[in-house]
Amino acid sequence: MIFSSSLWHFCILSLLLSYGVLQTSELTSAHHYRTGYHFQPRRNWMNDPNGPLIYKGIYHLFYQYNPRGTGAGYRHIVWAHSTSTDLINWIPHNDAIYPSETFDINGCWSGSVTILPGGKPAIFYTGVNSQNEQAQNLAFPRNLSDPFLKEWVKIPQNPLISATPANHINASSFRDPSTAWLGPDHRWRLIVGSRKGKTGLAILYRSRDFLKWTKAKHPLHSTKENGMWECPDFFPVSKTKLLGLDTSATGPNVKHVFKVSLDNTKKEYYTTGTYNVEKDIYIPDKGSVESDNSGLRYDYGKFYASKTFFDSAKNRRILWGWINESSSVKGDINKGWSGLQAVPRTVLLDKSGKELVQWPIVELEKLRTKHVKLPNIVLKEGSLHRVLGVTPAQAVVEITFEISDLKKAEVFDPSWTDPQTLCSKKGASVKGGLGPFGLLVLASKGLKENTAVFYRIFKSQNNKYKYVVLMCSDQSRSSLNQDNDMITYGTFVNVDPVHEKLSLRSLIDHSIVESFGGLGKACITARVYPKLTVDGDTRLYIFNYGNESVEITGDVWSMKTAKMN
Ligand code: DQQ
């Protein structure tokens, strides 16, 4: 299969070259965009992370994969499979679940793993049948003594959970079963994403034996007006400890998080709230909503179809998320691949209890190599400081910014409710009071191309002691190739610049910039494809284009290349 797929890629490229659609220089650049430490298969299309788990000390990641090419190809999609001992270096295995039966012949779509008592893993996934109806199916490992769980057997009772006219579910909007959790009544529960008209639904099912599932009268949660809910994820977080919890955990020190991926906008939202175990419903906290501008997102850039799992070896909850390309279809064919996974992130409840904090898993530090300590310097207005001594195209930057005098902050206009629009209006080149200050990454000599990740601080109109912190990722100058989507992203960050330094951690990896602001309260991931740095001359700068000086401290590391599939 590997041979035929490489051969196919080679033939397509030769054709495109011979017709002049592609230049040889574009082939070089294709290689240039390949990442060094982000999860990706060797070739072709990848989308959602599926069923992450740990079994006998081995981490598993399944993912939606099109074995036939760089486009989505949902009719052929399989669960590809890789394993790792550290979540950073991965080895590939044969596809775990692929279309083979009447109930999944048109695609094996997303789903989750549940670890049953005794440790047996179970995959629940969506199968699409020849009528394009979606239903939920179950598979178990063939050999539980194999820590790599290489073979999976679909049970003969499939499909286990179907949409029928009697249960009023639309079979074309019924997918992505969650990890199941066990209630105090010893019954299993799981949710399936769906919609009724424009109302997004997390339909709840219960089972005593994991085989016979009954639909509950009420969904676990639903919201009007935001359409089809894909990949719902529901999990507990600790209010008191910096640890993750098993999916079935409940109790007085536990809150719940509900995440949904909105098919209409391809944005994800999460809410924090309470799981009422008796009534079997989830009630989001007041003000916690799944909607634009006031809703919380794991990531305000590219990040979709995410899924968490409980890592029982290290008592932590880990988040995986799919990062789509921003390149054109031609660009993807040229690269021979499309789609990445974000670096796995540890997820915890923030001490406010109102939002989550995310941080790249600690294992990423194993890849750190050359280290540069940033000098403790004051960046005067208009300054640009080049960081030397690391490999800027494959690096991690951790930096803090301190402003001792906040007087020059511009007044925040209350009509600026959309941070993304504000970041586009006030891009990195627009001079301000406090900020923009931050990083220029994947920059070319002369800065014709660069991606700017930065902060601005505003003061509130009515309360001169209150500040608004804006974090932006400005891709408008990221590439001279105008075929790419170069939209700017932004979010407000819940930090108080009077009492806290502003932190920024950016993972830079050839064509991805994954940035964590406010110690993980806000993340923005961008995909960029600079053209001018193909010769290897990529640069990294720290800048301050605001009117006030900013003091910086920090560290930068070159990153080794992970063993990737
Ligand atoms: N991707 C899968 C679906 C899911 C969508 C198909 C989300 O199961 O709803 O590849 O990206």
Side-chain angles (χ1 to χ4, degrees):
M1 198 174 80
I2 287 173
F3 173 74
S4 61
S5 144
S6 320
L7 189 66
W8 174 86
H9 187 217
F10 174 77
C11 294
I12 294 279
L13 289 179
S14 311
L15 267 176
L16 291 173
L17 280 168
S18 62
Y19 284 104
V21 177
L22 274 184
Q23 307 294 320
T24 14
S25 61
E26 294 184 67
L27 290 182
T28 322
S29 64
H31 182 67
H32 189 62
Y33 302 137
R34 183 94 192 156
T35 63
Y37 59 94
H38 279 80
F39 183 96
Q40 59 182 139
R42 293 176 80 95
R43 59 184 65 79
N44 294 346
W45 166 273
M46 168 178 64
N47 55 308
D48 315 355
N50 290 155
L53 80 142
I54 179 164
Y55 183 70
K56 294 187 191 286
I58 304 287
Y59 292 103
H60 294 250
L61 180 66
F62 305 91
Y63 54 94
Q64 292 282 282
Y65 178 69
N66 176 9
R68 302 193 183 198
T70 53
Y74 289 122
R75 283 188 53 209
H76 309 293
I77 223 133
V78 304
W79 278 45
H81 182 199
S82 295
T83 56
S84 170
T85 52
D86 57 8
L87 289 162
I88 297 291
N89 296 286
W90 293 90
I91 55 169
H93 300 288
N94 289 342
D95 299 338
I97 309 266
Y98 45 86
S100 63
E101 309 296 324
T102 49
F103 53 79
D104 64 11
I105 203 67
N106 270 348
C108 297
W109 288 12
S110 287
S112 308
V113 161
T114 303
I115 307 288
L116 300 179
K120 181 175 170 177
I123 284 179
F124 246 114
Y125 72 98
T126 298
V128 185
N129 70 13
S130 54
Q131 272 83 53
N132 287 327
E133 291 161 339
Q134 300 159 15
Q136 321 318 322
N137 304 296
L138 187 56
F140 290 112
R142 186 181 296 284
N143 175 6
L144 285 172
S145 63
D146 170 18
F148 298 104
L149 301 171
K150 282 190 216 137
E151 282 184 75
W152 290 79
V153 182
K154 299 169 188 173
I155 65 164
Q157 297 92 319
N158 283 329
L160 276 198
I161 307 179
S162 300
T164 61
N167 61 27
H168 306 290
I169 300 169
N170 177 348
S172 60
S173 305
F174 185 51
R175 54 186 181 268
D176 311 336
S178 71
T179 295
W181 67 97
L182 207 47
D185 57 1
H186 306 292
R187 282 188 295 171
W188 288 100
R189 277 105 171 126
L190 63 71
I191 47 177
V192 180
S194 187
R195 73 177 168 89
K196 199 173 210 163
K198 287 185 186 162
T199 299
L201 295 175
I203 302 180
L204 179 69
Y205 286 83
R206 296 192 195 96
S207 171
R208 285 194 189 281
D209 60 1
F210 221 78
L211 291 173
K212 188 171 174 299
W213 291 84
T214 312
K215 183 172 167 278
K217 280 206 183 100
H218 304 284
L220 180 78
H221 180 42
S222 69
T223 302
K224 289 197 174 117
E225 300 300 331
N226 59 13
M228 174 65 194
W229 279 6
E230 297 188 313
C231 303
D233 196 20
F234 182 57
F235 58 89
V237 282
S238 173
K239 288 203 259 187
T240 51
K241 296 197 176 125
L242 297 178
L243 292 175
L245 297 173
D246 177 85
T247 310
S248 299
T250 51
N253 291 327
V254 170
K255 264 185 105 91
H256 274 76
V257 173
F258 182 88
K259 184 278 310 185
V260 74
S261 312
L262 301 185
D263 192 21
N264 284 352
T265 57
K266 297 290 172 212
K267 286 182 187 168
E268 299 199 314
Y269 292 92
Y270 74 82
T271 54
T272 56
T274 308
Y275 173 38
N276 182 325
V277 183
E278 275 77 48
K279 292 194 177 143
D280 239 351
I281 53 163
Y282 167 73
I283 303 147
D285 293 336
K286 211 160 170 262
S288 202
V289 290
E290 289 103 356
S291 68
D292 264 353
N293 301 337
S294 19
L296 291 167
R297 293 167 63 188
Y298 287 140
D299 197 302
Y300 295 84
K302 288 230 154 179
F303 195 90
Y304 194 69
S306 67
K307 189 168 299 292
T308 62
F309 78 104
F310 176 59
D311 174 5
S312 53
K314 294 200 171 163
N315 285 323
R316 57 186 175 172
R317 183 159 286 271
I318 292 177
L319 169 72
W320 281 99
W322 165 43
I323 317 288
N324 200 354
E325 301 298 311
S326 294
S327 45
S328 62
V329 171
K330 182 184 143 197
D332 291 346
I333 294 173
N334 182 15
K335 297 199 297 290
W337 52 269
S338 177
L340 301 175
Q341 299 294 326
V343 164
R345 303 172 181 178
T346 306
V347 179
L348 291 168
L349 186 66
D350 177 55
K351 55 181 183 305
S352 67
K354 292 184 176 160
E355 62 184 326
L356 298 174
V357 284
Q358 303 162 65
W359 209 236
I361 50 160
V362 67
E363 287 87 338
L364 186 67
E365 292 173 14
K366 286 186 6 181
L367 295 179
R368 286 176 178 175
T369 156
K370 198 141 188 250
H371 174 220
V372 168
K373 179 108 200 96
L374 295 174
N376 227 331
I377 50 170
V378 174
L379 284 186
K380 294 225 155 52
E381 53 170 297
S383 50
L384 189 66
H385 173 86
R386 182 168 174 201
V387 179
L388 293 165
V390 288
T391 49
Q394 196 170 310
V396 170
V397 186
E398 277 187 40
I399 186 165
T400 53
F401 302 92
E402 200 177 1
I403 309 105
S404 39
D405 191 348
L406 297 166
K407 275 200 297 291
K408 288 188 187 154
E410 295 155 73
V411 174
F412 186 79
D413 179 339
S415 72
W416 294 340
T417 50
D418 175 4
Q420 176 156 340
T421 307
L422 186 55
C423 285
S424 323
K425 219 167 85 181
K426 288 178 179 282
S429 54
V430 179
K431 237 176 143 11
L434 296 187
F437 54 81
L439 304 172
L440 298 183
V441 305
L442 297 174
S444 65
K445 186 177 167 193
L447 290 178
K448 262 207 177 126
E449 292 182 331
N450 70 77
T451 296
V453 188
F454 62 88
Y455 284 114
R456 283 176 191 274
I457 304 173
F458 301 94
K459 62 179 165 231
S460 147
Q461 209 172 39
N462 311 321
N463 181 346
K464 62 177 176 173
Y465 301 109
K466 241 185 127 208
Y467 294 87
V468 178
V469 175
L470 180 72
M471 175 179 166
C472 306
S473 185
D474 177 357
Q475 283 70 244
S476 58
R477 293 160 71 93
S478 62
S479 177
L480 293 185
N481 180 352
Q482 298 293 321
D483 291 348
N484 303 316
D485 169 11
M486 298 200 287
I487 193 163
T488 290
Y489 304 117
T491 178
F492 297 120
V493 195
N494 222 340
V495 289
D496 171 8
V498 180
H499 300 107
E500 294 167 75
K501 293 181 184 174
L502 288 183
S503 77
L504 178 63
R505 181 168 180 176
S506 285
L507 315 185
I508 307 160
D509 195 3
H510 300 271
S511 60
I512 178 165
V513 185
E514 213 180 325
S515 299
F516 298 75
L519 292 175
K521 283 183 179 171
C523 305
I524 305 183
T525 297
R527 300 302 311 282
V528 295
Y529 313 90
K531 264 171 89 107
L532 299 176
T533 55
V534 170
D535 60 3
D537 186 4
T538 298
R539 297 177 179 211
L540 170 65
Y541 296 90
I542 307 163
F543 77 100
N544 176 17
Y545 297 157
N547 283 328
E548 186 57 86
S549 301
V550 178
E551 196 176 331
I552 57 153
T553 73
D555 301 271
V556 186
W557 291 269
S558 295
M559 296 294 279
K560 284 186 268 188
T561 299
K563 290 190 184 69
M564 189 56 65
N565 292 315

